[in-house]
Amino acid sequence: LLAGRAIQSIGYPMLANASLNGSRAVPWTPLVRPTVATIVLLGAAAVAGERILAPSWLTCAAAVVVSAALLLPLTLVIGLGSSDRARVVARTREIWRVARRGALQRG
């Protein structure tokens, strides 16, 4: 199962790139920054998870909220270039706008 998923992780981007750009070569350069950011953040989380223990479920839930609030902007800054970050922020704003409009129409 793991080997099949690994093949898909490489094969699908190649197929998508071939259908969009006409080339089967994967552009590896844009993948370096997000990959390094992922390794750094997951490594830091693994180290912190071994050293920090929450004394209660409430403390654990609060730590999740604080972690998300701190890590979301950090991951956007270190994991994405400025043009990709701008696209993610614009898309998120659009989703939020449509969701709010739908909630207002139902309510």
Side-chain angles (χ1 to χ4, degrees):
L1 181 67
L2 195 56
R5 296 286 181 185
I7 292 169
Q8 289 176 353
S9 295
I10 295 170
Y12 285 155
M14 289 174 65
L15 290 173
N17 194 42
S19 68
L20 295 174
N21 297 332
S23 171
R24 285 197 179 249
V26 176
W28 295 106
T29 307
L31 301 176
V32 172
R33 186 172 178 172
T35 302
V36 170
T38 300
I39 291 168
V40 168
L41 289 171
L42 289 177
V47 169
E50 290 292 322
R51 296 203 165 101
I52 301 171
L53 297 176
S56 69
W57 283 105
L58 183 59
T59 306
C60 184
V64 168
V65 171
V66 170
S67 295
L70 293 174
L71 289 176
L72 180 63
L74 181 65
T75 55
L76 283 173
V77 170
I78 67 169
L80 297 175
S82 59
S83 62
D84 291 331
R85 187 172 42 252
R87 284 194 301 241
V88 168
V89 169
R91 181 67 178 140
T92 303
R93 285 182 180 153
E94 179 65 18
I95 291 170
W96 184 255
R97 186 184 63 77
V98 170
R100 280 188 31 207
R101 185 175 50 197
L104 291 175
Q105 289 174 352
R106 279 185 254 127

mmCIF file of all heavy atoms in Angstrom, residues 41-86:
data_model
loop_
_atom_site.group_PDB
_atom_site.id
_atom_site.type_symbol
_atom_site.label_atom_id
_atom_site.label_comp_id
_atom_site.label_asym_id
_atom_site.label_seq_id
_atom_site.Cartn_x
_atom_site.Cartn_y
_atom_site.Cartn_z
ATOM 1 N N LEU A 41 9.011 21.778 10.118
ATOM 2 C CA LEU A 41 7.868 21.893 11.026
ATOM 3 C C LEU A 41 7.496 20.547 11.649
ATOM 4 O O LEU A 41 7.197 20.481 12.849
ATOM 5 C CB LEU A 41 6.675 22.489 10.297
ATOM 6 C CG LEU A 41 6.824 23.970 9.961
ATOM 7 C CD1 LEU A 41 5.698 24.436 9.051
ATOM 8 C CD2 LEU A 41 6.867 24.804 11.227
ATOM 9 N N LEU A 42 7.507 19.478 10.859
ATOM 10 C CA LEU A 42 7.183 18.169 11.426
ATOM 11 C C LEU A 42 8.276 17.702 12.389
ATOM 12 O O LEU A 42 7.980 17.080 13.412
ATOM 13 C CB LEU A 42 6.964 17.144 10.318
ATOM 14 C CG LEU A 42 5.684 17.322 9.507
ATOM 15 C CD1 LEU A 42 5.618 16.293 8.394
ATOM 16 C CD2 LEU A 42 4.454 17.245 10.387
ATOM 17 N N GLY A 43 9.526 18.013 12.083
ATOM 18 C CA GLY A 43 10.608 17.680 13.001
ATOM 19 C C GLY A 43 10.482 18.428 14.316
ATOM 20 O O GLY A 43 10.639 17.842 15.397
ATOM 21 N N ALA A 44 10.167 19.712 14.226
ATOM 22 C CA ALA A 44 9.973 20.511 15.447
ATOM 23 C C ALA A 44 8.780 19.995 16.247
ATOM 24 O O ALA A 44 8.826 19.927 17.483
ATOM 25 C CB ALA A 44 9.776 21.980 15.087
ATOM 26 N N ALA A 45 7.710 19.616 15.567
ATOM 27 C CA ALA A 45 6.535 19.076 16.252
ATOM 28 C C ALA A 45 6.852 17.750 16.934
ATOM 29 O O ALA A 45 6.387 17.484 18.047
ATOM 30 C CB ALA A 45 5.387 18.903 15.266
ATOM 31 N N ALA A 46 7.666 16.912 16.283
ATOM 32 C CA ALA A 46 8.040 15.632 16.886
ATOM 33 C C ALA A 46 8.877 15.844 18.143
ATOM 34 O O ALA A 46 8.656 15.186 19.169
ATOM 35 C CB ALA A 46 8.809 14.782 15.872
ATOM 36 N N VAL A 47 9.819 16.764 18.071
ATOM 37 C CA VAL A 47 10.656 17.054 19.242
ATOM 38 C C VAL A 47 9.806 17.653 20.358
ATOM 39 O O VAL A 47 9.897 17.237 21.521
ATOM 40 C CB VAL A 47 11.812 18.006 18.856
ATOM 41 C CG1 VAL A 47 12.537 18.529 20.086
ATOM 42 C CG2 VAL A 47 12.783 17.298 17.932
ATOM 43 N N ALA A 48 8.948 18.614 20.032
ATOM 44 C CA ALA A 48 8.096 19.240 21.042
ATOM 45 C C ALA A 48 7.120 18.227 21.635
ATOM 46 O O ALA A 48 6.841 18.256 22.843
ATOM 47 C CB ALA A 48 7.323 20.419 20.431
ATOM 48 N N GLY A 49 6.607 17.327 20.807
ATOM 49 C CA GLY A 49 5.670 16.324 21.291
ATOM 50 C C GLY A 49 6.284 15.366 22.293
ATOM 51 O O GLY A 49 5.592 14.827 23.157
ATOM 52 N N GLU A 50 7.571 15.143 22.182
ATOM 53 C CA GLU A 50 8.263 14.272 23.135
ATOM 54 C C GLU A 50 8.564 14.990 24.454
ATOM 55 O O GLU A 50 8.689 14.360 25.493
ATOM 56 C CB GLU A 50 9.584 13.772 22.533
ATOM 57 C CG GLU A 50 9.401 12.791 21.406
ATOM 58 C CD GLU A 50 8.835 11.471 21.886
ATOM 59 O OE1 GLU A 50 9.214 11.003 22.981
ATOM 60 O OE2 GLU A 50 7.997 10.910 21.160
ATOM 61 N N ARG A 51 8.679 16.303 24.414
ATOM 62 C CA ARG A 51 9.121 17.046 25.598
ATOM 63 C C ARG A 51 7.999 17.753 26.339
ATOM 64 O O ARG A 51 8.117 18.030 27.523
ATOM 65 C CB ARG A 51 10.170 18.070 25.173
ATOM 66 C CG ARG A 51 11.400 17.394 24.634
ATOM 67 C CD ARG A 51 12.606 18.278 24.741
ATOM 68 N NE ARG A 51 13.803 17.489 24.553
ATOM 69 C CZ ARG A 51 14.503 17.434 23.447
ATOM 70 N NH1 ARG A 51 14.133 18.138 22.407
ATOM 71 N NH2 ARG A 51 15.582 16.691 23.365
ATOM 72 N N ILE A 52 6.916 18.086 25.639
ATOM 73 C CA ILE A 52 5.827 18.843 26.258
ATOM 74 C C ILE A 52 4.626 17.922 26.449
ATOM 75 O O ILE A 52 4.118 17.349 25.484
ATOM 76 C CB ILE A 52 5.423 20.051 25.375
ATOM 77 C CG1 ILE A 52 6.623 20.969 25.177
ATOM 78 C CG2 ILE A 52 4.258 20.796 25.990
ATOM 79 C CD1 ILE A 52 6.382 22.058 24.162
ATOM 80 N N LEU A 53 4.180 17.792 27.680
ATOM 81 C CA LEU A 53 3.013 16.980 27.982
ATOM 82 C C LEU A 53 1.925 17.860 28.590
ATOM 83 O O LEU A 53 2.174 18.606 29.531
ATOM 84 C CB LEU A 53 3.380 15.858 28.953
ATOM 85 C CG LEU A 53 4.397 14.840 28.444
ATOM 86 C CD1 LEU A 53 4.747 13.853 29.548
ATOM 87 C CD2 LEU A 53 3.861 14.115 27.226
ATOM 88 N N ALA A 54 0.734 17.767 28.057
ATOM 89 C CA ALA A 54 -0.385 18.549 28.578
ATOM 90 C C ALA A 54 -0.960 17.836 29.804
ATOM 91 O O ALA A 54 -1.235 16.633 29.746
ATOM 92 C CB ALA A 54 -1.460 18.708 27.510
ATOM 93 N N PRO A 55 -1.157 18.569 30.893
ATOM 94 C CA PRO A 55 -1.673 17.928 32.110
ATOM 95 C C PRO A 55 -3.166 17.568 32.031
ATOM 96 O O PRO A 55 -3.634 16.758 32.812
ATOM 97 C CB PRO A 55 -1.415 18.965 33.204
ATOM 98 C CG PRO A 55 -1.289 20.259 32.497
ATOM 99 C CD PRO A 55 -0.782 19.950 31.123
ATOM 100 N N SER A 56 -3.901 18.178 31.082
ATOM 101 C CA SER A 56 -5.332 17.874 30.963
ATOM 102 C C SER A 56 -5.776 18.039 29.512
ATOM 103 O O SER A 56 -5.059 18.596 28.686
ATOM 104 C CB SER A 56 -6.152 18.813 31.861
ATOM 105 O OG SER A 56 -6.104 20.135 31.343
ATOM 106 N N TRP A 57 -6.981 17.547 29.229
ATOM 107 C CA TRP A 57 -7.529 17.675 27.875
ATOM 108 C C TRP A 57 -7.787 19.131 27.528
ATOM 109 O O TRP A 57 -7.625 19.546 26.382
ATOM 110 C CB TRP A 57 -8.821 16.864 27.739
ATOM 111 C CG TRP A 57 -8.552 15.410 27.606
ATOM 112 C CD1 TRP A 57 -8.723 14.457 28.569
ATOM 113 C CD2 TRP A 57 -8.024 14.739 26.466
ATOM 114 N NE1 TRP A 57 -8.330 13.228 28.090
ATOM 115 C CE2 TRP A 57 -7.910 13.373 26.795
ATOM 116 C CE3 TRP A 57 -7.637 15.140 25.198
ATOM 117 C CZ2 TRP A 57 -7.433 12.422 25.904
ATOM 118 C CZ3 TRP A 57 -7.170 14.190 24.311
ATOM 119 C CH2 TRP A 57 -7.065 12.856 24.669
ATOM 120 N N LEU A 58 -8.191 19.918 28.499
ATOM 121 C CA LEU A 58 -8.454 21.339 28.252
ATOM 122 C C LEU A 58 -7.157 22.053 27.857
ATOM 123 O O LEU A 58 -7.141 22.848 26.908
ATOM 124 C CB LEU A 58 -9.066 21.993 29.494
ATOM 125 C CG LEU A 58 -9.468 23.451 29.357
ATOM 126 C CD1 LEU A 58 -10.506 23.615 28.237
ATOM 127 C CD2 LEU A 58 -10.024 23.968 30.659
ATOM 128 N N THR A 59 -6.084 21.745 28.540
ATOM 129 C CA THR A 59 -4.778 22.320 28.195
ATOM 130 C C THR A 59 -4.345 21.868 26.807
ATOM 131 O O THR A 59 -3.812 22.655 26.023
ATOM 132 C CB THR A 59 -3.721 21.905 29.236
ATOM 133 O OG1 THR A 59 -4.181 22.249 30.530
ATOM 134 C CG2 THR A 59 -2.392 22.579 28.969
ATOM 135 N N CYS A 60 -4.604 20.621 26.495
ATOM 136 C CA CYS A 60 -4.253 20.090 25.173
ATOM 137 C C CYS A 60 -5.042 20.813 24.082
ATOM 138 O O CYS A 60 -4.484 21.209 23.052
ATOM 139 C CB CYS A 60 -4.520 18.589 25.134
ATOM 140 S SG CYS A 60 -4.024 17.813 23.598
ATOM 141 N N ALA A 61 -6.342 21.001 24.294
ATOM 142 C CA ALA A 61 -7.177 21.710 23.316
ATOM 143 C C ALA A 61 -6.707 23.151 23.145
ATOM 144 O O ALA A 61 -6.648 23.669 22.021
ATOM 145 C CB ALA A 61 -8.638 21.662 23.742
ATOM 146 N N ALA A 62 -6.369 23.809 24.236
ATOM 147 C CA ALA A 62 -5.869 25.186 24.158
ATOM 148 C C ALA A 62 -4.545 25.236 23.402
ATOM 149 O O ALA A 62 -4.302 26.153 22.601
ATOM 150 C CB ALA A 62 -5.698 25.762 25.566
ATOM 151 N N ALA A 63 -3.685 24.247 23.620
ATOM 152 C CA ALA A 63 -2.400 24.196 22.917
ATOM 153 C C ALA A 63 -2.611 24.007 21.418
ATOM 154 O O ALA A 63 -1.879 24.577 20.607
ATOM 155 C CB ALA A 63 -1.535 23.076 23.479
ATOM 156 N N VAL A 64 -3.618 23.232 21.040
ATOM 157 C CA VAL A 64 -3.926 23.048 19.621
ATOM 158 C C VAL A 64 -4.347 24.366 18.990
ATOM 159 O O VAL A 64 -3.889 24.730 17.900
ATOM 160 C CB VAL A 64 -5.018 21.972 19.435
ATOM 161 C CG1 VAL A 64 -5.551 21.965 18.019
ATOM 162 C CG2 VAL A 64 -4.480 20.606 19.802
ATOM 163 N N VAL A 65 -5.213 25.107 19.670
ATOM 164 C CA VAL A 65 -5.677 26.394 19.143
ATOM 165 C C VAL A 65 -4.512 27.374 19.006
ATOM 166 O O VAL A 65 -4.357 28.033 17.970
ATOM 167 C CB VAL A 65 -6.790 26.977 20.044
ATOM 168 C CG1 VAL A 65 -7.129 28.405 19.654
ATOM 169 C CG2 VAL A 65 -8.028 26.088 19.991
ATOM 170 N N VAL A 66 -3.690 27.464 20.026
ATOM 171 C CA VAL A 66 -2.533 28.374 19.987
ATOM 172 C C VAL A 66 -1.548 27.934 18.901
ATOM 173 O O VAL A 66 -1.039 28.765 18.139
ATOM 174 C CB VAL A 66 -1.846 28.443 21.369
ATOM 175 C CG1 VAL A 66 -0.516 29.183 21.285
ATOM 176 C CG2 VAL A 66 -2.762 29.110 22.379
ATOM 177 N N SER A 67 -1.303 26.635 18.798
ATOM 178 C CA SER A 67 -0.385 26.134 17.768
ATOM 179 C C SER A 67 -0.881 26.474 16.370
ATOM 180 O O SER A 67 -0.107 26.912 15.515
ATOM 181 C CB SER A 67 -0.228 24.616 17.887
ATOM 182 O OG SER A 67 0.377 24.281 19.095
ATOM 183 N N ALA A 68 -2.160 26.264 16.129
ATOM 184 C CA ALA A 68 -2.726 26.570 14.814
ATOM 185 C C ALA A 68 -2.610 28.058 14.507
ATOM 186 O O ALA A 68 -2.250 28.445 13.388
ATOM 187 C CB ALA A 68 -4.178 26.116 14.743
ATOM 188 N N ALA A 69 -2.907 28.888 15.493
ATOM 189 C CA ALA A 69 -2.828 30.338 15.287
ATOM 190 C C ALA A 69 -1.403 30.795 14.990
ATOM 191 O O ALA A 69 -1.197 31.729 14.205
ATOM 192 C CB ALA A 69 -3.376 31.070 16.514
ATOM 193 N N LEU A 70 -0.420 30.149 15.591
ATOM 194 C CA LEU A 70 0.977 30.531 15.358
ATOM 195 C C LEU A 70 1.556 29.893 14.098
ATOM 196 O O LEU A 70 2.321 30.523 13.363
ATOM 197 C CB LEU A 70 1.835 30.138 16.558
ATOM 198 C CG LEU A 70 1.577 30.874 17.864
ATOM 199 C CD1 LEU A 70 2.411 30.270 18.982
ATOM 200 C CD2 LEU A 70 1.854 32.351 17.721
ATOM 201 N N LEU A 71 1.197 28.636 13.848
ATOM 202 C CA LEU A 71 1.839 27.906 12.758
ATOM 203 C C LEU A 71 1.246 28.209 11.386
ATOM 204 O O LEU A 71 1.947 28.102 10.386
ATOM 205 C CB LEU A 71 1.792 26.407 13.025
ATOM 206 C CG LEU A 71 2.700 25.939 14.152
ATOM 207 C CD1 LEU A 71 2.510 24.462 14.408
ATOM 208 C CD2 LEU A 71 4.146 26.238 13.838
ATOM 209 N N LEU A 72 -0.019 28.569 11.313
ATOM 210 C CA LEU A 72 -0.608 28.866 10.002
ATOM 211 C C LEU A 72 0.127 30.006 9.300
ATOM 212 O O LEU A 72 0.585 29.844 8.169
ATOM 213 C CB LEU A 72 -2.099 29.156 10.119
ATOM 214 C CG LEU A 72 -2.785 29.475 8.804
ATOM 215 C CD1 LEU A 72 -2.717 28.283 7.856
ATOM 216 C CD2 LEU A 72 -4.218 29.876 9.036
ATOM 217 N N PRO A 73 0.284 31.175 9.944
ATOM 218 C CA PRO A 73 1.041 32.233 9.258
ATOM 219 C C PRO A 73 2.507 31.848 9.019
ATOM 220 O O PRO A 73 3.071 32.183 7.980
ATOM 221 C CB PRO A 73 0.952 33.439 10.192
ATOM 222 C CG PRO A 73 0.050 33.073 11.290
ATOM 223 C CD PRO A 73 -0.257 31.619 11.209
ATOM 224 N N LEU A 74 3.096 31.134 9.963
ATOM 225 C CA LEU A 74 4.488 30.724 9.804
ATOM 226 C C LEU A 74 4.662 29.813 8.599
ATOM 227 O O LEU A 74 5.588 29.982 7.805
ATOM 228 C CB LEU A 74 4.980 30.025 11.077
ATOM 229 C CG LEU A 74 6.433 29.554 11.062
ATOM 230 C CD1 LEU A 74 7.375 30.752 10.984
ATOM 231 C CD2 LEU A 74 6.728 28.719 12.285
ATOM 232 N N THR A 75 3.768 28.849 8.438
ATOM 233 C CA THR A 75 3.881 27.940 7.304
ATOM 234 C C THR A 75 3.648 28.656 5.985
ATOM 235 O O THR A 75 4.263 28.324 4.975
ATOM 236 C CB THR A 75 2.902 26.749 7.419
ATOM 237 O OG1 THR A 75 1.576 27.251 7.573
ATOM 238 C CG2 THR A 75 3.256 25.870 8.581
ATOM 239 N N LEU A 76 2.753 29.626 5.977
ATOM 240 C CA LEU A 76 2.541 30.403 4.749
ATOM 241 C C LEU A 76 3.801 31.175 4.370
ATOM 242 O O LEU A 76 4.152 31.269 3.200
ATOM 243 C CB LEU A 76 1.364 31.361 4.911
ATOM 244 C CG LEU A 76 -0.018 30.743 4.828
ATOM 245 C CD1 LEU A 76 -1.086 31.781 5.173
ATOM 246 C CD2 LEU A 76 -0.283 30.149 3.467
ATOM 247 N N VAL A 77 4.485 31.724 5.374
ATOM 248 C CA VAL A 77 5.670 32.540 5.106
ATOM 249 C C VAL A 77 6.873 31.685 4.706
ATOM 250 O O VAL A 77 7.540 31.974 3.713
ATOM 251 C CB VAL A 77 6.015 33.418 6.332
ATOM 252 C CG1 VAL A 77 7.372 34.083 6.175
ATOM 253 C CG2 VAL A 77 4.944 34.469 6.536
ATOM 254 N N ILE A 78 7.143 30.617 5.455
ATOM 255 C CA ILE A 78 8.357 29.840 5.153
ATOM 256 C C ILE A 78 8.129 28.767 4.088
ATOM 257 O O ILE A 78 9.074 28.328 3.462
ATOM 258 C CB ILE A 78 8.986 29.207 6.410
ATOM 259 C CG1 ILE A 78 8.100 28.123 7.005
ATOM 260 C CG2 ILE A 78 9.334 30.252 7.439
ATOM 261 C CD1 ILE A 78 8.773 27.302 8.081
ATOM 262 N N GLY A 79 6.878 28.359 3.882
ATOM 263 C CA GLY A 79 6.618 27.260 2.964
ATOM 264 C C GLY A 79 6.272 27.670 1.553
ATOM 265 O O GLY A 79 6.422 26.882 0.628
ATOM 266 N N LEU A 80 5.800 28.892 1.372
ATOM 267 C CA LEU A 80 5.362 29.334 0.052
ATOM 268 C C LEU A 80 6.048 30.627 -0.355
ATOM 269 O O LEU A 80 6.308 31.489 0.482
ATOM 270 C CB LEU A 80 3.850 29.559 0.039
ATOM 271 C CG LEU A 80 2.973 28.340 0.302
ATOM 272 C CD1 LEU A 80 1.514 28.757 0.375
ATOM 273 C CD2 LEU A 80 3.170 27.289 -0.759
ATOM 274 N N GLY A 81 6.280 30.752 -1.638
ATOM 275 C CA GLY A 81 6.792 32.007 -2.172
ATOM 276 C C GLY A 81 5.688 33.057 -2.171
ATOM 277 O O GLY A 81 4.515 32.746 -1.950
ATOM 278 N N SER A 82 6.027 34.289 -2.440
ATOM 279 C CA SER A 82 5.051 35.376 -2.334
ATOM 280 C C SER A 82 3.884 35.223 -3.306
ATOM 281 O O SER A 82 2.736 35.490 -2.945
ATOM 282 C CB SER A 82 5.733 36.731 -2.527
ATOM 283 O OG SER A 82 6.353 36.778 -3.796
ATOM 284 N N SER A 83 4.133 34.777 -4.528
ATOM 285 C CA SER A 83 3.026 34.643 -5.480
ATOM 286 C C SER A 83 2.094 33.501 -5.077
ATOM 287 O O SER A 83 0.865 33.645 -5.141
ATOM 288 C CB SER A 83 3.557 34.420 -6.897
ATOM 289 O OG SER A 83 4.293 33.215 -6.960
ATOM 290 N N ASP A 84 2.654 32.375 -4.638
ATOM 291 C CA ASP A 84 1.815 31.270 -4.176
ATOM 292 C C ASP A 84 1.044 31.651 -2.918
ATOM 293 O O ASP A 84 -0.124 31.319 -2.763
ATOM 294 C CB ASP A 84 2.665 30.025 -3.893
ATOM 295 C CG ASP A 84 3.235 29.424 -5.159
ATOM 296 O OD1 ASP A 84 2.605 29.570 -6.223
ATOM 297 O OD2 ASP A 84 4.313 28.806 -5.085
ATOM 298 N N ARG A 85 1.709 32.348 -2.010
ATOM 299 C CA ARG A 85 1.060 32.795 -0.778
ATOM 300 C C ARG A 85 -0.102 33.729 -1.091
ATOM 301 O O ARG A 85 -1.191 33.604 -0.525
ATOM 302 C CB ARG A 85 2.087 33.479 0.130
ATOM 303 C CG ARG A 85 1.561 33.834 1.484
ATOM 304 C CD ARG A 85 2.647 34.336 2.437
ATOM 305 N NE ARG A 85 3.613 35.251 1.866
ATOM 306 C CZ ARG A 85 4.884 34.947 1.606
ATOM 307 N NH1 ARG A 85 5.357 33.754 1.846
ATOM 308 N NH2 ARG A 85 5.702 35.843 1.091
ATOM 309 N N ALA A 86 0.091 34.641 -2.033
ATOM 310 C CA ALA A 86 -0.985 35.567 -2.417
ATOM 311 C C ALA A 86 -2.168 34.809 -3.003
ATOM 312 O O ALA A 86 -3.328 35.143 -2.726
ATOM 313 C CB ALA A 86 -0.454 36.595 -3.412
#
